[in-house]
Amino acid sequence: GLAALPAGVSDPAGVFVTAADGGPLDAGALGGLNALARALGAVDGVGQVAPVVSSADRRAARIDVFLDLDPQSRAARDLVSGPLRAVVAEHRPAGTYAYVGGGAAVFADISVAAAEDLRVVFPVAAVLIALILFLLLRSLLAPVVLLLAVGLGFAATLGASTLVFQHALGRPGVDFTLPLVLFLFVVALGTDYNILVADRIREEMRHPGPARAAVARAVRHTAPAVATAGLVLAASFAGLAVDPAPATQQIGFATALGILLSAFVLSIVLVPALAALLGRALWWPVRGRARGRGQARGQARGQRRGVRVSS
């Protein structure tokens, strides 16, 4: 039955060969392709290798390689991008170009490109988010605190996902798209929640009185909205965790967990706690404490003037 076929029969890795000069493949090159096919069959993880098929004008040839691995798995991507391409580079006929294609090869190339892009996207996005926070909160220290909180949430979510899928469930690793998806959703939503809480804390600290009391008032007003939004979004993304595709399962679990951490741990607990510890110094270089005292003195002077008039 179908169980006797290699796992990768539905999406084979194809080796495509063309002549370097763009002309038809000669008899020597076609004979060398048979040797290449035999070398591919000897690679560990390859189940079967189909016969060489050339085009009608003999300008190109193809060898289908059926892996013993799930084409969508990380192991298949590692096999195609590593040993398989190394064998093709070593045994391709002289005077030809050889390329490895197929779904696993495409995702392997996307994984490498995504990893390189993330090294650029993360710093640039952090700078832009810090600039937006600076313009919104008019502070230098508050944006740093919020960025550190969001970074901790991102790292905790990615670490928990690795612990669950790689160590608890025995998967070879998390999907290469997971960091990008977490950055798009968890970092963005976590920043929104933090802005909502921090802006309310700033408004409350403009009034005279202890900073801790201002933080408590801000949390009482913003926590219900943040918690409700976090629960609704987390429940929506959690539905993806029951999908049979491993990558979708990871995205659903990690995104739901990251949103819950952002809403309940970072925005409602960590950011207010740091604001209570730092007090009005959180809004440096704005002198929030002096402003509060000035307001108190102004109110006191107004009261004294009112007493003199009435007397």
Side-chain angles (χ1 to χ4, degrees), residues 152-165 178 182 185-187 189 193 230-231 233-239 241 249-266:
L152 288 175
F154 176 84
T157 304
L158 189 59
S161 302
T162 303
L163 182 65
V164 170
F165 289 98
L178 188 60
L182 290 180
F185 289 100
V186 175
V187 172
L189 293 172
Y193 296 156
L231 285 174
L233 284 174
S236 301
F237 282 104
Q249 290 178 1
Q250 295 179 18
I251 291 174
F253 171 83
T255 306
L257 176 62
I259 292 174
L260 291 177
L261 288 177
S262 298
F264 289 91
V265 178
L266 301 181

Side-chain angles (χ1 to χ4, degrees), residues 293-303 305:
R293 290 176 178 175
Q295 291 176 348
R297 288 195 296 267
Q299 292 177 357
R301 285 195 298 268
Q303 291 174 356
R305 291 170 183 169

Side-chain angles (χ1 to χ4, degrees), residues 31-303:
L33 291 179
N34 293 322
L36 174 59
R38 290 192 295 269
L40 291 171
V43 175
D44 188 21
V46 174
Q48 295 180 13
V49 177
V52 179
V53 177
S54 60
S55 61
D57 56 5
R58 297 174 59 185
R59 291 180 178 273
R62 171 175 175 168
I63 305 173
D64 283 335
V65 180
F66 303 99
L67 306 180
D68 283 330
L69 306 169
D70 182 0
Q72 298 183 359
S73 66
R74 179 177 178 179
R77 295 195 297 268
D78 293 341
L79 174 62
V80 170
S81 61
L84 205 65
R85 283 180 173 169
V87 169
V88 171
E90 181 180 356
H91 293 87
R92 66 179 177 84
T96 63
Y97 292 139
Y99 310 90
V100 179
V106 170
F107 282 113
D109 293 339
I110 294 176
S111 175
V112 174
E116 295 177 353
D117 290 342
L118 288 178
R119 296 189 185 98
V120 178
V121 171
F122 280 5
V124 172
V127 172
L128 293 177
I129 293 174
L131 180 60
I132 294 173
L133 292 176
F134 169 74
L135 295 175
L136 177 65
L137 301 177
R138 295 186 293 279
S139 169
L140 294 179
L141 183 57
V144 174
V145 172
L146 298 187
L147 282 177
L148 289 177
V150 171
L152 288 175
F154 176 84
T157 304
L158 189 59
S161 302
T162 303
L163 182 65
V164 170
F165 289 98
Q166 184 171 338
H167 297 282
L169 300 180
R171 304 280 178 82
V174 297
D175 192 76
F176 70 92
T177 61
L178 188 60
L180 181 59
V181 173
L182 290 180
F183 183 80
L184 292 175
F185 289 100
V186 175
V187 172
L189 293 172
T191 303
D192 290 344
Y193 296 156
N194 287 343
I195 289 175
L196 178 63
V197 174
D199 189 59
R200 186 56 187 253
I201 291 175
R202 184 189 62 176
E203 294 296 329
E204 294 294 340
M205 282 189 177
R206 287 178 174 176
H207 303 292
R212 291 177 179 268
V215 173
R217 291 194 301 269
V219 172
R220 284 198 300 270
H221 285 92
T222 57
V226 172
T228 302
L231 285 174
V232 172
L233 284 174
S236 301
F237 282 104
L240 299 176
V242 300
D243 191 276
T248 306
Q249 290 178 1
Q250 295 179 18
I251 291 174
F253 171 83
T255 306
L257 176 62
I259 292 174
L260 291 177
L261 288 177
S262 298
F264 289 91
V265 178
L266 301 181
S267 299
I268 298 180
V269 177
L270 181 60
V271 171
L274 292 175
L277 292 174
L278 295 173
R280 289 180 172 83
L282 177 65
W283 311 110
W284 180 84
V286 177
R287 296 181 177 274
R289 187 184 300 275
R291 183 178 180 182
R293 290 176 178 175
Q295 291 176 348
R297 288 195 296 267
Q299 292 177 357
R301 285 195 298 268
Q303 291 174 356

Side-chain angles (χ1 to χ4, degrees), residues 9-21:
V9 68
S10 61
D11 187 7
V15 179
F16 304 90
V17 181
T18 59
D21 58 4

